[in-house]
Each structure stands twice: as C-alpha cells, then as structure tokens.
Amino acid sequence: MEIISDVAQMRRMARAWRGQGKRIALVPTMGYFHDGHLSLMRYGREAADKLVVSLFVNPAQFGPNEDLARYPRDLERDAGMAREVGVDVLFTPPAEAMYPPGYQTYVSVEELSRPLCGASRPGHFKGVATVVLKLLNQVQPDTAIFGEKDYQQLQVIRRLAADLDVPVEIVGRPIVREADGLAMSSRNTYLSPEERASALCLFRAIRAARELVLSGARSRESVLEAVRGIITATPHTDIDYISLVHPDTLREVDTIDPEARLALAVRVGKTRLIDNTLLSESLLCCV
Ligand code: PAF
C-alpha cells in the first residue's frame, strides 16, 4: 500500500491505472477507522481493481463550535488497518492543498442539505459536497462508496453526482453496528462509559420503531412518540431531531407508505450521535 499526500501524484497514479483499463473504487473517509470503514473498504476491494481510501479531516464541514480540533486522528493505526484490508493507496491530502490561499469555490446541494442535520449544522453539507466533489475530481473513480449511517450525506452526494454529471457510481452500504447495536462512529470514542450506555437508546428506539411497524403501525405520530419516549427516558440525552422522512426527498411524511426513513440525532453528553433506519411495509425483517 502506498500513502500519497500529493494531489498531482494521486492524479498521475489514477490516470495510469485508467490507462491500463483498471476500475477504481474510492472510499472517502475522515480516518480513525472502525469496522464500518473497513466494511466499505472490503466492498470496494471486491468492486474494483484498484482501491483508494482518502483520509482527510475536512475543515469545511465543521462549524465554528464543532469538534474539528479534537476529531480523533491516528495515521499510523489507520494505515495498518487499511493495509490489512488490501487498500492500494491511502490518499492523505493536506488541508493547504485542498484549500490553498485564495480558495473560494463551494458547491451546495440546495434542498437536500436543508433539513435534519443541515438544520442544526449550517454549512455542513456544503463542506461535504465540496470536498467530495474535489476528491472525485482528483481520483476520478468508477465507484465511490459511503456508509448509510450518514444517510442524508449519502443522498446529498447522490444528488451532487447526478446534477453535476459526475461520471461515478455512488454506492451506499448498510450501517455497521457494535454487538449491542450502537452504530459505529469515530465519535463514539468521545463517550464516557455512562454515556456509552445511554447511547444505546438510539438503537433501542430504532428497534422499537421497527417492531411497531411490524405490528401494523403506519402513522408518523405513533412511531415518533415511541421513539421520543425511549430517548427522553434515557439519562444524559438531548434530542436534536427525530424525523420520519421520504427516503429520497428527505421531506417529512405522515405515514409509512410504502416506506420511510426514521432519522435521529441525539446529543449524549456533549457528543452528537446520529442513526437511521428504513421503515417499510414490506422489507422489515431482522433488526
Ligand atoms: O463521512 C465522512 O467521513 C465525511 O463526511 C466525508 C464523506 C469523508 C467527507 O469529508
């Protein structure tokens, strides 16, 4: 595995691969890998001849009072994990190369960026869309792979690629959970043992919603009330949003007809966690 931090070198390598007829997969990340990242990499390893994983903690997607400075970083650990999965290139561009002095171009996916996380993190998806478009331009992969935990992000990126005619297939992969159900996230490392226990309320709420729908509930209020009840009964929690939205448009829906995404963002202590699930008349099976 090569670690490349120079953008021009990354371009040259990707161009050479394309010249040899190789398919390229890109997994964009902000590092501090966990099994969720590794599952995206394993998928990419199978889906293409060459696998690039980008590691860039993107300042443009953090608000002024967010956790940019303390976001967990450990390049040596990440490189070891990526190497084991068979990553070809770990692409680690420096911030000065991504946003040099004079930088002033941003892309914004208007409607999809507004609700849910967009409402409490103004500018976040503009930062995400911009950096993902830059990475797609730098690597020019055939396929780019993202986790469904950041479901709104995935929808924003799908729209971005479609609207701007980016010749890439955007793939969304299922959420990877800890054994007890907590969705994997680099931010889980911020949780104290007590908060870690409280954080399980997100998965408990998701499971309760799925069970409700399995038993015939279809209305927004019945689902949201159950979810709200579980979260508010859990110590150290503060609800940012609990929403039931159309899976494509992310507009609020009144019923599960035939399906909807339940999306939640909850502060546990000082850590903001997100999770989501598809609620569907037909697809529900195991949790
Ligand atoms: O999901 C992430 O880790 C980031 O938002 C992404 C897609 C790598 C863009 O910085």
Side-chain angles (χ1 to χ4, degrees):
M1 184 185 81
E2 271 194 68
I3 300 180
I4 296 182
S5 55
D6 183 64
V7 176
Q9 192 188 346
M10 180 70 253
R11 278 186 192 285
R12 276 198 301 277
M13 175 152 283
R15 194 179 309 126
W17 287 339
R18 276 193 300 281
Q20 296 158 13
K22 307 279 189 212
R23 264 183 72 81
I24 303 174
L26 170 68
V27 178
T29 79
M30 297 206 302
Y32 214 72
F33 297 151
H34 49 65
D35 277 350
H37 295 113
L38 299 186
S39 85
L40 303 181
M41 295 179 205
R42 288 194 192 100
Y43 181 89
R45 184 63 289 160
E46 294 302 309
D49 305 303
K50 295 291 178 186
L51 173 59
V52 178
V53 172
S54 64
L55 192 170
F56 178 61
V57 183
N58 173 33
Q61 69 188 73
F62 288 80
N65 299 317
E66 293 185 353
D67 55 342
L68 173 63
R70 71 175 188 130
Y71 196 84
R73 294 163 168 90
D74 190 339
L75 179 59
E76 208 174 305
R77 168 184 173 276
D78 284 350
M81 291 166 87
R83 199 171 283 116
E84 269 193 22
V85 178
V87 171
D88 293 293
V89 169
L90 187 60
F91 177 41
T92 57
E96 314 81 73
M98 294 300 265
Y99 302 111
Y103 188 91
Q104 51 189 286
T105 305
Y106 294 87
V107 284
S108 175
V109 178
E110 300 283 323
E111 245 183 77
L112 285 170
S113 296
R114 249 175 243 137
L116 307 175
C117 293
S120 42
R121 303 187 68 189
H124 170 68
F125 289 112
K126 186 169 125 187
V128 169
T130 301
V131 82
V132 169
L133 184 59
K134 284 173 70 73
L135 292 165
L136 292 175
N137 282 335
Q138 290 161 349
V139 179
Q140 297 186 24
D142 298 278
T143 181
I145 305 151
F146 300 85
E148 281 189 348
K149 185 175 79 65
D150 297 288
Y151 186 77
Q152 184 174 15
Q153 166 173 287
L154 175 61
Q155 293 308 100
V156 164
I157 291 164
R158 284 197 165 120
R159 192 75 255 168
L160 166 84
D163 287 355
L164 297 183
D165 306 300
V166 186
V168 65
E169 174 201 25
I170 303 295
V171 174
R173 298 292 300 158
I175 296 174
V176 177
R177 298 182 180 280
E178 304 281 358
D180 58 7
L182 181 65
M184 290 201 181
S185 164
S186 307
R187 290 190 166 101
N188 291 349
T189 53
Y190 298 155
L191 299 168
S192 70
E194 262 184 35
E195 291 166 348
R196 173 68 181 70
S198 289
L200 276 182
C201 70
L202 281 90
F203 182 61
R204 276 206 310 277
I206 279 178
R207 207 169 40 194
R210 295 177 75 129
E211 277 159 11
L212 260 178
V213 174
L214 262 182
S215 65
R218 293 290 179 271
S219 81
R220 169 189 185 78
E221 263 327 300
S222 58
V223 171
L224 294 193
E225 203 184 301
V227 169
R228 206 175 294 119
I230 290 171
I231 311 275
T232 51
T234 308
H236 313 296
T237 62
D238 182 17
I239 295 172
D240 180 352
Y241 64 76
I242 301 171
S243 293
L244 193 67
V245 296
H246 186 283
D248 300 328
T249 64
L250 305 185
R251 292 194 191 122
E252 299 288 333
V253 293
D254 290 332
T255 53
I256 294 155
D257 176 25
E259 56 184 34
R261 271 277 154 182
L262 170 67
L264 38 161
V266 177
R267 258 174 225 292
V268 181
K270 288 199 165 78
T271 307
R272 186 174 172 283
L273 300 177
I274 57 173
D275 206 336
N276 71 85
T277 192
L278 182 69
L279 296 177
S280 156
E281 288 184 346
S282 58
L283 290 177
L284 279 174
C285 61
C286 36
V287 185

